[in-house]
Amino acid sequence: MGDDVDIDVLARRCGGMSGADLFNVINIAAVRASSEGKDAVHMNYLEEAFDRVLVGLQRRNPMSDAERR
């Protein structure tokens, strides 16, 4: 865990999450940090992972007319 990780902030954001959700957040953050060659998981990776688990992945391209039909 990086020095910039604030446990109090993480605890507030975890309210109502299941154990599986927490596991997913930490796993996503760890994978992202390791893919960028980091030795620790920093707060920005955890925040991105929270958003991804709670909101889901953002669709990059809007649906085409064919997809809508």
Side-chain angles (χ1 to χ4, degrees):
M1 192 165 42
D3 294 335
D4 63 336
V5 175
D6 187 350
I7 298 296
D8 293 330
V9 171
L10 293 178
R12 277 186 251 124
R13 290 193 73 181
C14 292
M17 294 180 81
S18 69
D21 290 334
L22 294 173
F23 178 82
N24 286 336
V25 167
I26 294 169
N27 189 47
I28 290 168
V31 168
R32 178 78 189 266
S34 71
S35 71
E36 294 185 8
K38 304 293 182 185
D39 292 335
V41 177
H42 296 282
M43 193 67 180
N44 60 323
Y45 297 116
L46 289 166
E47 289 174 354
E48 289 175 13
F50 269 109
D51 293 341
R52 182 172 172 184
V53 168
L54 293 178
V55 179
L57 287 174
Q58 180 181 6
R59 189 176 178 130
R60 293 184 187 250
N61 297 327
M63 284 194 291
S64 67
D65 291 334
E67 287 178 319
R68 284 187 215 140
R69 284 188 215 127

